[in-house]
């Protein structure tokens, strides 16, 4: 058995590192010569990562604020919303009694925009965009992405998409209000909903730009991971974060174009009078000319992306949690190979389950048999991951700081939300559960909470790398506990409401005998949501405050982690390593091995030492 | 000062407080030293994690128990349809297995977090993997999933199957529109008529094609009424955007799509009254049905089964409600009897009626039967007066002897009778009321009788079997003082002579 390895980090890297003569090429180049090219139109992956993060935070605040407003309507329908009139203008109507009501159109616009913003702008761009950009070059030992220019474009297309979507909120006929899923005919016909006019047009344009951003980013991530790994960094030595980002990018590349095709056909129906999705429609006193189209076609094209999309959201969070948990448990992630194989299995299966969103759509029930089978099978690799995380904690020496707490919270949330997926994936159960609050509870817990927890874990953990300072731990722990308890308080009761049969996307429940006696539960949910919203603002304050006033990072590797990003200077320069790039000799998870608390990847195997990942 | 403003101010104050505490603890942490701070934090957090685990699991179990009587499939809310029980069972079985996993994994997660909290002197273990464990915890979930899939798909294929050719089912139709349901029943012929969306008007909301006879007896009720224990097939469509036909208590749900009819087959297994009785017996539904009208009494007494929309269809999506009443077979039959054909009551002879001013096949058939009846009676009668048959549906243009177009149907009946009884001889008689000049009336009645005679001759009846006589206003059968009486007097008749 080998003994504790002694090494000098700087010396080791200098001796063993890979010299690509980077700094000779790039001395004084125009890469980052002025403020604009350094901070705005930057081609440096670390700046781009922060741009994605801050734009993601901006959208998260807006998306969350929207949810607070519509939760006010659901929890306190009799209370006046007149106080919102200065902000929401024509969307609040004040009756003769002075009581202000949220317009029904705008309620649905809020629900639609909330979904669109959080799913795409926050959890896709804000999560993948941030961490893939930050970590891929740093963790695989590359100077930057394969194409820094395309990388820069990927952010600015996201920015462009953001501007268009933001503008759509202020259109006089209203933002798009047909649900983030945008099913036609509702989304195709302005006569069906005023938001389906200009608002919908802008929504489609914004999302097409957004997809361009995702594809540009994805191509870069894949190319970089496959081609620019440093010497010794074989695929099986990559940290799980990189595996997750790589597979996520592949999924995105294969599925997002199908969404665009679905949107394109929708645009044709809206503008050119084609009938891809429309047939036999009588509306606003007129029989429309469309014939032969099927709304179900749209649903197939949408969900062919829509389902992989949720794995695009969760896989990076899973990768982050695996990494963060391992570092702070001072233990290897349990079952590294199984974790990689699960990621691959989930990725593959994610492409053949999409129609479980369509069990009640009028699809031939025979087809649904296959989708039930594959959907319940995808529970297996997901379960394997949960067991592996729990086993990672077993026998550890856990540093229960904020990133670790969010990782633990992630696992709890993924268990809760993932298990309800097993109900919904079984089509016979879905007959009753489809389009009820049971579905809302399920996807919020897995996406709205678990994915966010992964994102938070990543932000707290890599904040020192991004800004050279720590976020405040106390505020972090307050953030964690209020959000953990609060999120369960918000979404757990929704299971009950769904099981009582209450449908989703209802402006109010008072029209139905069956749905209107859950007022207390709805108030409870709304109050919890308000508290959790304010706590997120505390997090945002902590984030920005700490950039300038946070406790300074004094050592390059404050967490005692093995991965390569912690070998760069505290404020990594353009090109990441001032000298040579470290060479890799081992996998990323040698914690507590042979009496060593941790052994970074660039440390060669000692004499007689067996690799930890055999 | 408004409540929202107060809440925001309190929130800001609390957050400022937290920020200050946070900065203080960071400072004191620096003073205390990093190692000591970390150890202390770990102890505190570990304890909180354990407390959370216990509180969380207790809350989950308690709240599930507390709310069980309000969740469909549990307590008094067992399924009101036959197939619903199978679906509820599936839910419970899934709950059983996932419940075990839920409790076991949450406990393991939080317990390990507490048990292995970082402290001075603890060494973590180098446990990189265990392939046997991986296999076990892959295979067992996979087997459970396969079991759930198998059971689920058996139920699915059963429930979603259409009715067989030889099976009896009541077929009704629901059409989603923004923002209501148009309900249609097939009427006595048991068949729904065809529709064409180009024919939709305000009066014909479904675009029913009334040249299809099956539509003539269809009716459009305000609520769904069904007999208990009879299979029902609901034909589901939409007129404008996607809707969804959702009967929560019956475990029925299916999207309504413009252009693509869908369906759902189910059998209600209890009446509304039986459902109410069960709610009452549970003791959980005694709260007031309507707070603003306490005289209505408790919820269980007034509650109805309902139809709701379950696919976002625009701003009124939440308000598409129809009641569903399940009644005994006798009540259902009585209700059916009381329903009137939508065509005959709302469309007939309006601008939407394609047969406006024409006769329907059913009318022609009915009138023929009526005529044959009247003839048969007259034929067997013995007194001369009783051998007169009034031609109820032979009419003339106002003030003239020109037959109206529709008269041809009644005259066809007369021709049939004359053809069937080749020896029959009849006298055709024209009569008027007493308005106007008596001589003119005499003249008109004579001309009208001759008009009929000429028509019959043109259609192949031998002229010497027919005589045409005008009686003017001389033989009234009713008073001439009322319009109704005068209308009765204006008539054409024939009398059997031999």
């Amino acid at each position: 058995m080998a003994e504790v390895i002694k090494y000098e980090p700087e010396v080791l890297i200098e001796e063993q590192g890979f010299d690509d003569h980077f700094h000779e090429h790039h001395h004084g180049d125009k890469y980052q010569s002025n403020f604009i090219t350094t901070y705005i139109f930057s081609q440096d992956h670390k700046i781009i990562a922060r741009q994605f993060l801050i734009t993601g935070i901006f959208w998260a605040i807006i998306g969350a604020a929207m949810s607070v407003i519509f939760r006010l309507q659901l929890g306190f329908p009799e209370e006046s919303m007149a106080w919102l009139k200065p902000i929401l203008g024509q969307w609040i109507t004040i009756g003769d009694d002075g009581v202000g009501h949220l317009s029904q159109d705008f309620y649905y616009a809020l629900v639609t925009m909330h979904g669109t913003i959080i799913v795409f702008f926050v959890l896709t761009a804000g999560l993948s965009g941030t961490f893939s950009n930050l970590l891929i070059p740093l963790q695989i030992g590359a100077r930057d992405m394969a194409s820094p220019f395309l990388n820069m474009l990927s952010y600015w297309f996201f920015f462009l998409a953001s501007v268009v979507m933001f503008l759509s909120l202020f259109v006089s006929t209203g933002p798009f209000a047909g649900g983030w899923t945008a099913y036609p005919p509702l989304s195709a016909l302005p006569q069906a909903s005023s938001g389906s006019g200009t608002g919908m047009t802008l929504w489609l344009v914004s999302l097409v730009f957004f997809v361009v951003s995702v594809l540009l980013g994805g191509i870069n991530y894949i190319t970089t991971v496959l081609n620019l790994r440093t010497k010794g960094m074989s695929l099986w030595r990559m940290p799980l974060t990189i595996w997750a980002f790589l597979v996520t990018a592949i999924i995105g590349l294969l599925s997002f174009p199908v969404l665009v095709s679905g949107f394109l056909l929708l645009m044709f129906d809206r503008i050119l009078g084609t009938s891809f999705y429309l047939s036999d429609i009588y509306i606003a006193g007129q029989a429309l000319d469309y014939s032969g189209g099927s709304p179900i076609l749209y649903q197939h094209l949408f969900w062919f992306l829509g389902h992989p999309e949720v794995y695009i959201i969760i896989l990076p969070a899973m990768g982050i949690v695996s990494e963060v948990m391992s570092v702070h448990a001072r233990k290897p992630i349990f079952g590294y190979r199984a974790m990689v194989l699960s990621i691959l299995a989930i990725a593959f299966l994610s492409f053949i389950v999409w129609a479980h969103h369509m069990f009640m759509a009028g699809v031939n029930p025979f087809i649904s048999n296959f989708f039930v089978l594959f959907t319940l099978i995808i529970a297996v690799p997901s379960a394997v991951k949960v067991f592996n995380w729990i086993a990672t904690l077993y026998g550890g020496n856990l540093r229960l700081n904020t990133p670790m707490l969010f990782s633990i919270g992630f696992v709890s949330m993924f268990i809760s939300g993932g298990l309800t997926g097993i109900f919904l994936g079984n089509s016979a159960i879905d007959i009753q559960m489809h389009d009820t609050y049971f579905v809302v509870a399920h996807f919020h817990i897995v996406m709205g909470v678990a994915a966010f927890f992964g994102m938070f874990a990543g932000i707290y953990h890599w904040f020192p790398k991004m800004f050279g300072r720590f976020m405040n731990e106390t505020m972090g722990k307050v953030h964690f506990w209020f959000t953990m308890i609060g999120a369960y308080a918000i979404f757990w009761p929704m299971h009950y409401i769904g099981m009582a049969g209450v449908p989703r996307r209802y402006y109010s429940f008072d029209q139905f005998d069956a749905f209107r006696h859950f007022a207390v539960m709805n108030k409870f949910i709304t109050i919890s949501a308000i508290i959790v919203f304010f706590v997120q603002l505390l997090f945002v304050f902590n984030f920005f405050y700490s950039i300038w006033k946070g406790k300074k990072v004094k050592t390059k590797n404050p967490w005692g982690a093995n991965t390569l990003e912690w070998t760069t200077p505290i404020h990594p320069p353009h090109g990441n390593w001032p000298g040579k790039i470290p060479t890799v000799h081992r996998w990323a998870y040698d914690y507590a091995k042979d009496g060593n608390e941790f052994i970074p990847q660039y440390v060669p195997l000692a004499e007689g030492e067996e690799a930890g990942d055999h | 000062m408004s409540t929202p403003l107060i809440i925001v101010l309190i929130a800001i104050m609390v957050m400022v407080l937290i920020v200050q505490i946070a900065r203080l603890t960071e400072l004191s942490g620096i003073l205390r030293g990093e190692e000591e701070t970390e150890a202390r934090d770990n102890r505190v957090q570990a304890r909180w994690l354990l407390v959370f685990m216990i509180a969380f699991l207790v809350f989950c179990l308690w709240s599930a128990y507390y709310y069980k009587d309000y969740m469909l499939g549990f307590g008094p809310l067992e399924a009101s349809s036959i197939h619903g029980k199978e679906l509820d069972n599936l839910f419970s079985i899934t709950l059983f297995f996932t419940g075990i996993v839920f409790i076991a994994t949450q406990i393991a997660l939080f317990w390990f977090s507490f048990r292995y909290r970082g402290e001075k002197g603890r060494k973590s273990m180098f446990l990189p993997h265990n392939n046997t464990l991986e296999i076990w915890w892959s295979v067992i979930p996979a087997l459970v999933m396969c079991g759930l899939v198998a059971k689920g798909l058996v139920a699915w294929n059963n429930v979603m199957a259409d009715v067989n050719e030889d099976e009896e089912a009541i077929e009704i139709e629901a059409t989603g529109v923004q923002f209501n349901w148009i309900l249609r029943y097939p009427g006595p012929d048991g068949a729904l008529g065809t529709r064409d969306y180009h024919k939709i008007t305000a009066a014909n909301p479904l675009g029913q094609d009334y040249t299809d006879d099956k539509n003539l007896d269809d009716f459009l009720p305000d609520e769904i009424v069904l007999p208990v224990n009879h299979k029902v097939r609901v034909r589901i469509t939409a007129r404008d955007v996607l809707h969804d036909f959702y009967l929560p208590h019956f475990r029925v749900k299916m999207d309504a799509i413009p252009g693509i009819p869908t369906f759902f087959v189910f059998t209600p297994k209890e009446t509304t009254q039986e459902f109410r009785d069960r709610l009452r017996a549970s003791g959980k539904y005694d709260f007031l049905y309507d707070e603003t009208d306490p005289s209505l009494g408790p919820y269980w007494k007034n509650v109805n089964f309902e139809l709701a929309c379950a696919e976002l269809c625009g701003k009124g999506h939440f308000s598409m409600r129809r009641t569903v009443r399940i009644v005994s077979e006798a009540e259902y039959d009585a209700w059916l009897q009381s329903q009137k054909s939508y065509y005959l009551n709302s469309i007939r002879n309006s601008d939407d009626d394609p047969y406006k001013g024409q006769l329907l096949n059913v009318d022609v058939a009915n009138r023929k039967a009526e005529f044959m009846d009247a003839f048969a009676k007259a034929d067997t009668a013995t007194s001369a007066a009783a051998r007169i048959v009034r031609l109820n549906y032979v009419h003339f243009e106002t003030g003239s002897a020109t037959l109206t177009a529709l008269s041809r149907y009644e005259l066809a009946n007369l021709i049939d009778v004359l053809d069937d009884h080749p020896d029959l001889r009849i006298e055709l008689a024209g009569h008027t009321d007493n308005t106007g000049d008596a001589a003119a009336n005499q003249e008109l009645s004579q001309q009208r009788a001759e008009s009929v005679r000429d028509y019959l001759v043109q259609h192949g009846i031998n002229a010497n079997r027919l005589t045409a006589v005008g009686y003017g206003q001389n033989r009234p059968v009713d008073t001439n003082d009322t319009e109704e009486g005068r209308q009765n007097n204006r008539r054409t008749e024939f009398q059997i002579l031999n």
Side-chain angles (χ1 to χ4, degrees):
Chain A
M1 171 149 145
E3 14 153 273
V4 176
I5 303 175
K6 301 206 196 330
Y7 59 93
E8 277 290 336
E10 315 293 338
V11 174
L12 201 49
I13 294 174
E14 180 52 38
E15 276 173 15
Q16 301 254 338
F18 178 74
D19 190 356
D20 61 342
H21 305 287
F22 179 79
H23 294 285
E24 289 144 42
H25 296 162
H26 287 261
H27 180 68
D29 69 7
K30 58 181 180 356
Y31 200 106
Q32 291 188 314
S33 48
N34 58 44
F35 182 84
I36 304 253
T37 54
T38 304
Y39 291 107
I40 303 182
F41 291 107
S42 166
Q43 296 185 36
D44 184 312
H45 71 100
K46 302 182 289 297
I47 300 279
I48 294 172
R50 277 167 276 183
Q51 289 175 321
F52 270 106
L53 180 56
I54 292 176
T55 311
I57 290 177
F58 167 79
W59 278 118
I61 298 173
I62 296 186
M66 289 178 170
S67 71
V68 170
I69 298 174
F70 66 68
R71 269 315 316 179
L72 283 176
Q73 161 60 29
L74 291 173
F76 299 93
E78 348 71 46
E79 291 290 319
S80 173
M81 308 228 320
W83 57 279
L84 278 169
K85 198 160 174 68
I87 310 174
L88 295 182
Q90 60 160 322
W91 305 115
I92 303 280
T93 44
I94 305 195
D96 296 324
D97 50 359
V99 173
H101 291 281
L102 184 65
S103 106
Q104 291 156 10
D105 272 315
F106 198 67
Y107 172 85
Y108 286 111
L110 287 173
V111 164
T112 302
M113 283 300 152
H114 167 78
T116 306
I117 287 169
I118 304 273
V119 168
F120 289 123
F121 291 175
V122 183
L123 292 177
T124 307
L127 182 48
S128 288
T130 303
F131 290 104
S132 301
N133 269 302
L134 179 70
L135 296 176
I136 289 179
L138 285 173
Q139 285 192 334
I140 65 171
R143 295 289 181 189
D144 204 307
M145 289 290 184
S147 169
F149 180 68
L150 283 188
N151 206 25
M152 178 184 75
L153 285 184
S154 127
Y155 172 73
W156 286 103
F157 268 98
F158 171 48
F159 186 85
L160 186 57
S162 296
V163 168
V164 175
M165 190 63 83
F166 191 74
L167 289 177
S168 86
L169 299 175
F170 299 98
V171 162
S172 67
T173 43
F176 177 54
W180 82 282
T181 45
Y183 286 178
L186 183 63
S187 60
L189 304 172
Q191 313 92 307
S193 164
S194 60
S196 293
T198 312
M200 176 61 174
T201 305
L202 292 175
W203 189 90
L204 284 168
V205 168
S206 166
L207 287 182
V208 171
F209 285 140
F210 177 78
V211 173
V212 171
S213 161
V214 171
L215 296 178
L216 289 176
I219 298 174
N220 241 332
Y221 309 153
I222 297 170
T223 314
T224 308
V225 170
L226 293 181
N227 289 294
L228 296 184
R229 282 167 285 125
T230 185
K231 188 154 172 261
M233 177 68 83
S234 67
L235 288 177
W236 284 106
R237 284 182 180 164
M238 296 196 307
L240 280 168
T241 35
I242 306 299
W243 274 109
F245 301 147
L246 170 67
V247 172
T248 299
I250 295 173
I251 296 176
L253 225 59
L254 293 174
S255 54
F256 266 107
V258 178
L259 179 74
V260 175
S261 76
F263 283 169
L264 208 61
L265 297 186
L266 184 56
M267 286 184 209
F268 289 163
D269 277 6
R270 287 165 58 79
I271 303 170
L272 300 180
T274 53
S275 299
F276 289 105
Y277 303 134
L278 308 173
S279 189
D280 290 42
I281 295 174
Y282 179 89
I283 192 166
Q286 262 200 314
L288 302 182
D289 234 339
Y290 304 101
S291 183
S294 167
I296 300 181
L297 173 61
Y298 173 86
Q299 293 175 43
H300 281 296
L301 294 174
F302 178 86
W303 286 113
F304 191 82
L305 163 87
H307 194 81
E309 166 67 7
V310 309
Y311 291 103
I312 289 173
I313 290 175
I314 203 71
L315 284 178
M318 289 177 162
I320 290 171
V321 164
S322 294
E323 184 61 27
V324 171
M325 209 183 247
S326 170
V327 171
H328 294 296
R330 318 309 287 144
K331 261 191 85 201
I333 188 73
F334 190 85
Y336 170 75
R337 292 217 167 204
M339 288 299 238
V340 173
L341 292 175
S342 309
I343 291 176
L344 296 173
I346 289 173
F348 170 71
L349 287 168
S350 76
F351 278 97
I352 50 179
V353 298
W354 80 88
H356 66 226
H357 299 272
M358 296 165 62
F359 285 143
M360 310 323 301
V363 168
N364 184 336
F366 178 70
I367 305 290
S368 300
N369 286 304
F370 299 101
F371 289 101
V372 170
L373 176 63
F374 294 127
T375 303
L376 292 198
I377 292 298
I378 210 173
V380 176
S382 311
V384 164
K385 292 188 87 71
V386 167
F387 299 141
N388 277 306
W389 284 313
I390 295 177
T392 304
L393 296 176
Y394 174 84
N397 186 14
L398 311 184
R399 210 187 268 149
L400 294 172
N401 56 14
T402 307
M404 183 59 149
L405 289 170
F406 272 110
S407 302
I408 295 170
F410 170 91
V411 178
S412 174
M413 289 293 173
F414 188 71
I415 292 170
S416 304
L419 287 174
T420 50
I422 293 175
F423 292 80
L424 295 167
N426 214 338
S427 54
I429 299 179
D430 194 51
I431 294 175
Q432 186 59 16
M433 293 301 149
H434 170 69
D435 231 73
T436 64
Y437 266 85
F438 196 84
V439 181
V440 176
H442 163 73
F443 67 70
H444 275 98
I445 294 181
V446 274
M447 284 202 299
V449 192
F452 262 102
F453 275 29
M455 195 167 164
F456 289 139
I459 294 175
Y460 283 102
H461 182 83
W462 278 292
F463 193 88
K465 196 78 244 163
M466 287 193 274
F467 299 106
R469 292 176 187 261
F470 294 97
M471 287 180 74
N472 182 289
E473 258 301 301
T474 309
M475 277 194 258
K477 291 185 167 98
V478 168
H479 177 214
F480 167 72
W481 281 109
F482 273 87
T483 309
M484 181 78 169
I485 297 171
Y488 270 124
I490 297 171
F491 298 112
W492 194 264
M494 287 191 188
H495 293 107
Y496 302 150
I497 293 179
M499 286 164 73
V502 178
R504 61 186 287 205
R505 294 169 168 171
Y506 265 38
Y507 171 82
S508 74
F509 305 116
D510 56 357
Q511 309 276 323
F512 286 85
D513 293 348
F515 308 148
R516 56 185 165 77
H517 43 274
F518 300 104
V520 171
M521 230 191 272
N522 274 306
K523 285 183 177 24
F524 177 75
I525 293 173
T526 297
I527 294 173
S528 307
I530 294 172
I531 296 175
V532 170
F533 175 69
F534 278 116
V535 171
Q536 306 317 304
L537 295 181
L538 180 70
F539 161 77
V540 173
F541 173 79
N542 189 4
F543 180 85
F544 286 103
Y545 177 83
S546 303
I547 291 178
W548 286 281
K549 298 280 207 226
K551 188 171 89 178
K552 281 195 185 167
V553 176
K554 294 284 198 278
T555 59
K556 282 205 225 174
N557 190 1
W559 304 129
N562 290 341
T563 40
L564 294 181
E565 74 271 27
W566 304 108
T567 64
T568 67
I570 293 171
H571 294 279
H574 164 55
N576 298 332
W577 289 272
K580 299 180 184 164
I581 306 178
T583 303
V584 161
H585 299 274
R586 56 178 76 228
W587 71 329
Y589 298 106
D590 277 333
Y591 294 100
K593 184 168 190 256
D594 304 330
N596 296 280
E597 194 195 329
F598 68 100
I599 312 176
Q601 285 190 276
Y602 58 83
V603 176
L605 290 174
E607 200 158 311
E609 185 189 355
E610 230 179 82
D613 64 328
H614 61 271
Chain B
M1 199 141 85
S2 69
T3 320
L5 193 53
I6 298 176
I7 293 177
V8 171
L9 286 173
I10 294 179
I12 293 178
M13 278 188 340
V14 170
M15 294 207 299
V16 168
L17 188 62
I18 296 175
V19 170
Q20 299 310 330
I21 295 177
R23 292 170 68 198
L24 279 173
T25 46
E26 191 169 80
L27 278 171
S28 70
I30 292 174
L31 290 173
R32 194 181 298 114
E34 211 178 290
E35 246 184 67
E36 176 60 38
T37 314
E38 210 180 282
R40 197 159 148 277
D41 278 347
N42 283 341
R43 278 197 303 275
V44 168
Q45 292 306 311
R47 240 171 267 147
W48 278 116
L49 286 167
L50 202 59
V51 166
F52 175 83
M53 175 189 87
I54 296 169
F56 175 52
L57 289 174
V58 165
F59 166 77
C60 287
L61 294 169
W62 170 82
S63 62
Y65 182 76
Y66 180 84
Y67 281 104
K68 69 171 170 26
D69 292 308
Y70 306 102
M71 298 191 282
L72 295 171
F74 298 90
L77 295 178
E78 8 171 303
S80 304
S81 65
I82 291 183
H83 75 272
K85 186 141 179 65
E86 204 180 351
L87 303 187
D88 290 349
N89 279 346
L90 204 50
F91 188 97
S92 298
I93 294 173
T94 309
L95 183 60
F96 174 74
F97 285 110
T98 54
I100 294 175
V101 173
F102 175 76
I103 295 179
T105 49
Q106 299 283 4
I107 290 180
L109 177 71
F110 288 106
W111 171 250
F112 290 165
S113 304
F114 171 79
R115 167 80 177 80
Y116 297 104
R117 63 194 176 282
E119 47 190 16
K120 204 159 160 220
R122 187 195 294 285
K123 289 237 177 293
S124 49
M125 307 187 221
F126 184 72
L127 293 171
H129 61 254
N130 179 329
N131 288 333
T132 318
L133 215 46
E134 300 288 353
I135 293 176
W136 277 112
W137 65 40
S138 301
V139 167
I140 295 181
L143 289 174
V144 174
M145 289 303 120
C146 286
L148 291 176
V149 168
K151 219 165 156 39
L153 292 183
V154 166
W156 170 256
N157 290 302
N158 254 341
V159 171
M160 300 303 285
D162 206 342
V163 289
N164 291 325
E165 286 286 309
D166 51 342
E167 261 180 297
E168 245 195 68
I170 299 170
E171 186 166 23
I172 64 174
E173 182 192 72
T175 301
V177 305
Q178 287 183 321
F179 295 101
N180 207 343
W181 292 98
I182 303 175
L183 305 168
R184 180 163 73 128
Y185 275 65
D189 70 350
L192 296 165
T194 53
R195 291 163 51 179
D196 175 355
Y197 80 107
H198 292 107
K199 293 184 154 52
I200 294 176
T201 64
N204 186 0
L206 294 176
Q208 286 177 271
D209 181 351
Y210 292 110
T211 62
D212 176 8
D213 283 350
K214 301 198 291 295
N215 267 313
L216 299 182
D217 60 353
D218 293 358
F219 61 92
L220 275 51
D222 284 333
E223 53 175 357
I224 295 178
V225 178
L226 294 169
V228 68
N229 290 321
H230 279 257
K231 188 171 280 206
V232 178
R233 182 189 195 273
V234 186
R235 182 176 191 266
I236 302 164
T237 75
R239 213 172 69 169
D240 38 29
V241 296
L242 292 179
H243 297 271
D244 186 299
F245 183 86
Y246 175 38
L247 302 178
H249 298 96
F250 300 94
R251 316 295 185 262
V252 170
K253 185 179 284 147
M254 178 53 68
D255 272 10
I257 310 167
I260 304 178
T262 51
F263 69 90
F264 205 102
V265 180
F266 74 104
T267 307
K269 78 175 216 247
E270 61 179 352
T271 61
T272 301
Q273 190 52 52
E274 286 166 345
F275 175 64
R276 289 175 177 169
D277 289 339
R278 218 183 34 247
L279 290 192
R280 181 183 62 187
S282 78
K284 300 283 184 184
Y285 287 90
D286 296 334
F287 52 89
L288 282 177
Y289 178 75
D290 184 349
E291 307 262 312
T292 62
D293 187 1
S295 70
L296 285 176
Y299 180 87
W300 61 260
K301 199 165 178 208
N302 295 279
V303 66
N304 268 309
F305 293 130
E306 290 156 312
L307 162 64
C309 180
E311 182 62 58
L312 178 60
C313 53
K315 65 194 249 189
H317 169 54
F318 63 101
S319 61
M320 290 176 55
R321 177 182 189 263
R322 291 290 198 189
T323 44
V324 178
R325 278 195 304 125
I326 311 298
V327 297
S328 68
E329 202 173 327
E331 267 179 271
Y332 174 70
D333 287 335
W335 178 80
L336 276 185
Q337 292 291 341
S338 72
Q339 296 302 310
K340 300 195 177 24
S341 141
Y342 185 76
Y343 172 76
L344 290 176
N345 280 281
S346 306
I347 305 280
R348 187 77 180 110
N349 289 321
S350 73
D351 285 334
D352 286 295
D353 184 358
Y355 297 126
K356 182 176 179 184
Q358 296 174 52
L359 283 187
L360 301 173
N361 293 339
V362 62
D363 288 336
V364 170
N366 285 342
R367 287 179 179 187
K368 188 180 175 99
E370 205 183 303
F371 181 87
M372 294 306 171
D373 243 358
F375 173 75
K377 259 199 207 91
D379 198 24
T380 54
T382 43
S383 74
R387 290 172 75 74
I388 295 177
V389 177
R390 183 180 169 137
L391 290 168
N392 284 318
Y393 299 107
V394 169
H395 299 290
F396 300 88
E397 307 292 351
T398 317
S400 93
T402 315
L403 286 160
T404 62
L406 283 181
S407 300
R408 68 184 189 280
Y409 292 104
E410 186 80 320
L411 291 173
N413 293 333
L414 180 52
I415 290 167
D416 280 345
V417 156
L418 289 170
D419 284 340
D420 285 340
H421 300 81
D423 298 326
L424 203 63
R425 284 181 296 115
I426 59 174
E427 176 190 274
L428 296 161
H431 302 271
T432 66
D433 58 24
N434 69 352
T435 48
D437 179 46
N441 283 339
Q442 176 61 40
E443 179 64 30
L444 183 62
S445 64
Q446 176 65 38
Q447 285 171 342
R448 284 180 169 180
E450 284 167 7
S451 238
V452 175
R453 182 196 62 194
D454 293 343
Y455 184 92
L456 295 175
V457 169
Q458 271 162 31
H459 286 78
I461 303 299
N462 197 324
N464 55 21
R465 296 169 65 188
L466 311 168
T467 41
V469 179
Y471 289 98
Q473 59 197 62
N474 300 325
R475 292 193 184 181
V477 288
D478 201 342
T479 171
N480 271 308
D481 295 331
T482 64
E483 179 46 44
E484 198 191 318
R486 285 193 289 276
Q487 207 167 3
N488 280 334
N489 289 330
R490 297 191 291 269
R491 66 198 189 279
T492 314
E493 302 169 333
F494 69 91
Q495 182 177 35
I496 305 174
L497 297 178
N498 56 348

